Amino acid sequence: MRFRLGLAIGLAVGYYYGAKAGRERYHQIEDVLDRVRDSSLYRDVRDRVDRTLPQSLERARVLLDDRTAVTTTRFGDPTFN
């Protein structure tokens, strides 16, 4: 519950300050982000993430499946707990 409250407060504060900054500041931030996206470093990092993310997700799934199998065999059916 505390996480949700913190998230809601953070979104509200971000919205408030974003609206207060105005359209000109929005365009300034967009220009900076466009320059970052056009950089070779960003493209290299993005390519590396795109290559490694599917493998990492598969490893996480395997670990979770193994962990879930141990939990259900040790404690029985989790729907009854």
Side-chain angles (χ1 to χ4, degrees):
M1 187 65 183
R2 290 174 55 189
F3 174 77
R4 289 182 187 172
L5 180 62
L7 181 64
I9 291 171
L11 288 173
V13 169
Y15 178 79
Y16 171 78
Y17 282 114
K20 191 174 180 179
R23 193 121 182 103
E24 182 180 339
R25 181 67 179 144
Y26 169 78
H27 287 299
Q28 290 174 349
I29 293 170
E30 273 297 309
D31 290 342
V32 170
L33 289 175
D34 286 340
R35 282 186 262 144
V36 168
R37 289 180 195 127
D38 289 339
S39 71
S40 62
L41 177 63
Y42 175 82
R43 284 189 301 246
D44 292 344
V45 169
R46 178 68 190 228
D47 290 341
R48 187 177 304 162
V49 168
D50 287 342
R51 284 193 312 267
T52 59
L53 188 61
Q55 297 165 353
S56 300
L57 288 175
E58 185 58 34
R59 284 187 205 138
R61 282 189 195 109
V62 169
L63 288 172
L64 285 173
D65 288 342
D66 291 345
R67 186 76 173 162
T68 305
V70 169
T71 303
T72 55
T73 56
R74 184 185 303 162
F75 299 111
D77 189 357
T79 57
F80 294 119
N81 291 335

